[in-house]
Amino acid sequence: MEVSKHMNHLLKVPFCVHPKTGRVCVPINPKNCEEFDPCAVPTLSQLLGELNTGGLRGEGDNEWDGTSLGDCVSYFRESFLQPLLNSCKEEIETSYNAKVQQSRNSISW
């Protein structure tokens, strides 16, 4: 019952760290949620160890591939960030095209 009452119990964003367990909050695919094992989620100390031994891969598609967060980061990018980016681009282009059309209509010689 206490979990639903206190703000510090609610994990709000992907990749935040639980203060007591050190586990990283990861996005999961709802289609595969029954297969999700919360005990398999990486901890902050585990990630630090992975980064210290292998480091980030660089500027590629998924620089986190060398860590246990690689699949989670890829899923987050594919399922949330890329659709959000596409939606924002579409909205900006639509707004721009409407303004261009409005300016064309207002300029009549």
Side-chain angles (χ1 to χ4, degrees):
M1 191 66 164
E2 294 298 312
V3 170
S4 62
K5 291 181 181 179
H6 299 287
M7 291 293 284
N8 64 334
H9 286 96
L10 303 175
L11 298 177
K12 299 225 179 256
V13 295
F15 310 111
C16 66
V17 179
H18 189 277
K20 289 185 181 175
T21 65
R23 295 208 180 272
V24 178
C25 179
V26 296
I28 61 172
N29 186 336
K31 295 176 184 174
N32 303 331
C33 65
E34 292 171 0
E35 299 167 17
F36 177 69
D37 179 10
C39 294
V41 172
T43 62
L44 187 58
S45 59
Q46 177 186 348
L47 287 171
L48 286 172
E50 292 171 359
L51 291 171
N52 285 334
T53 58
L56 291 176
R57 291 187 68 191
E59 296 287 326
D61 286 341
N62 189 357
E63 62 272 8
W64 290 93
D65 274 345
T67 71
S68 51
L69 275 184
D71 291 340
C72 300
V73 171
S74 292
Y75 177 72
F76 185 67
R77 285 181 174 161
E78 293 167 9
S79 66
F80 180 74
L81 292 180
Q82 195 59 49
L84 179 63
L85 176 65
N86 293 342
S87 173
C88 289
K89 282 183 178 179
E90 185 178 304
E91 186 177 329
I92 289 169
E93 287 173 0
T94 301
S95 175
Y96 173 77
N97 290 337
K99 288 181 181 183
V100 167
Q101 187 61 39
Q102 182 181 6
S103 69
R104 286 183 184 157
N105 291 341
S106 66
I107 301 174
S108 57
W109 301 97

